[in-house]
Every structure is written in structure tokens, then in C-alpha cells.
Amino acid sequence: MGAFTRRSYRRVSVERNISFLIYEFVERGSLKRILCDGEQAVEFDWIKRIGFIKGTADALAYMHHDCIPAVVHRDISSNNVLLDFEYEVRVSDFGTARILKPDSSNWTSLAGTYGYIAPELAYTMKVTEKCDVYSFGVLVLEVLHGRHPSEIITLLSPELLPTSSSTSTSSVPVKIIMLKDILDECLEAPTDVMKKEIMYFMKVGLSCLRGDPRTRPTMQEVSVELSRPAQIRPSFEKPFEAVTLGDLLMGDSKE
């Protein structure tokens, strides 16, 4: 079964007022449903997954930077991003969304799905666009890993903290986590072209998970980065087979 997204809320007839909801049918359903279905997960190949990441980034960039006032979703997760028959992205379920008000502090109660919530919300309760940026970073890892990356994020968390908070030994586990070893095993090995895409997209995704929200990129910056032609992107000094998550966190690339 697919899923539905709400498109409109009210229609008025000549004779009487009739209120009803209209939903768009999104054939393939949620990202989580696809990743949990072996056959669909295999069909959801590297090219489609890279397209999914780009489409989600564009959608969030539109919400944050093209909507006036900006809209923060607050519950970006694999359950709330849908794909249609052509694997085009639909961000759904705006029940917890907030409109950012420039003249307000935007304080709120905690909302979202466990495992995707930005860490600062646990103690600040202040909604900003960077909350969605963090959730997007989790989603990037999930798409490439094939399941929720809770263990990976736990290992990465010391490296993602502000420099003053990290310990001298925090980078040891990260240095030995090979990128190729955490990719979804249900798919065939990526082509040389896709290897470069995966390294670049993973690097951008990791930058969205930084513990200090001020150091995370905006979704507009993410969208622009992911749209850059391969020819003008920074190149990586190490081959794909030798790249670790630590390399991507430290910016193991050159212009």
C-alpha cells in the first residue's frame, strides 16, 4: 500500500458549504516502508537513493527559505518522507510543524520522532530551522545505511560535539569505521561514479549532525552543495575503499 498526503482542506458548492479533505496518493509510501521491504529496498538503488536525498534537501530548503514566514517541520523521519511511483519525494505529516515568527522566541514543547530529534531540543526547547537540518542528517545516513543509524550516530557523537566538549580519545572509533562497511548490504557495490556521489553526500549529511546547531549548514546551503556538478566539487584524496567516517568529518577533500 502507498500513502496519502493532504492537498486541500475545503470546497464550497453553490448550494451549500461542504468541508472535506483531499489527499494525494503516493504510491510507494514512506522511506521506512521501502527500506524494510527486501524487494523494494533492492529496487531502491544507489541512483534513486542519491535522488531521494537531493529531493528531500530541496523540499526542506523551500520550507525554510522560500516560505514567508519560514516553516519548520519538526518531525522529519523515514516515516514522514514519502515517494511516488517515480521516486519523487513528498514531505508529509505537518501536524507538528511550526511557522517561525521573527518577533517571537519560538519556544515549544518537545516534538518529533525519537532518533531524529536534534540534541539541543532536550535542553533549550527552542525551535529553529537547524532542528530539521539535524533530522535530515539522520535521514541521509539512514538512506545510505539501509536502516536507522543509531549505532553509527552513537559512535560519532563525541566527534560531533563542539571542540571544547570532545575528549582526546573520541576520534579513535571513528578513524576505523570504513564508509564502505556501513553502506546498505542489500545493494550491489556502487559504480565508480556513484562512489564519488556517496562520499560527497555522506560528507554533507555528517555536517548536518554537528552538536552545535550554529555550525550546521542551512538547508539552502545543503541544497546548493548537493546540486553542484561533480566536476566542480572538492575531490577526495583517498580512494573510496580507504575512506573512513573520520575522514569525512575532518574534510578529507581538496579543491
Side-chain angles (χ1 to χ4, degrees), residues 205-222:
L206 291 173
S207 72
C208 297
L209 294 175
R210 293 169 185 156
D212 185 348
R214 295 171 298 180
T215 64
R216 295 174 202 151
T218 66
M219 285 310 306
Q220 187 173 58
E221 291 170 337
V222 169

Side-chain angles (χ1 to χ4, degrees), residues 126-140:
K126 184 177 181 179
V127 177
T128 70
E129 297 98 325
K130 297 300 181 72
C131 299
D132 283 351
V133 174
Y134 181 90
S135 301
F136 171 79
V138 177
L139 210 61
V140 172

Side-chain angles (χ1 to χ4, degrees), residues 142-255:
E142 185 168 0
V143 172
L144 298 177
H145 186 48
R147 58 185 182 276
H148 190 276
S150 54
E151 294 181 1
I152 298 172
I153 292 176
T154 298
L155 291 173
L156 291 176
S157 56
E159 283 293 315
L160 297 168
L161 292 170
T163 304
S164 59
S165 304
S166 60
T167 64
S168 59
T169 59
S170 64
S171 63
V172 175
V174 176
K175 288 181 179 178
I176 62 174
I177 302 176
M178 307 300 296
L179 172 60
K180 65 182 179 64
D181 292 338
I182 68 165
L183 298 181
D184 195 342
E185 296 178 348
C186 81
L187 298 183
E188 295 183 357
T191 64
D192 289 342
V193 172
M194 290 311 302
K195 287 176 182 178
K196 293 179 181 179
E197 292 288 290
I198 290 169
M199 285 192 290
Y200 192 73
F201 276 56
M202 179 66 83
K203 178 180 173 63
V204 174
L206 291 173
S207 72
C208 297
L209 294 175
R210 293 169 185 156
D212 185 348
R214 295 171 298 180
T215 64
R216 295 174 202 151
T218 66
M219 285 310 306
Q220 187 173 58
E221 291 170 337
V222 169
S223 178
V224 169
E225 279 297 312
L226 299 183
S227 298
R228 292 176 70 181
Q231 305 92 301
I232 63 173
R233 292 177 185 169
S235 59
F236 290 88
E237 296 179 349
K238 290 184 178 181
F240 174 81
E241 289 72 18
V243 169
T244 68
L245 296 190
D247 293 328
L248 298 178
L249 281 169
M250 293 185 292
D252 181 50
S253 60
K254 58 183 179 179
E255 295 293 341

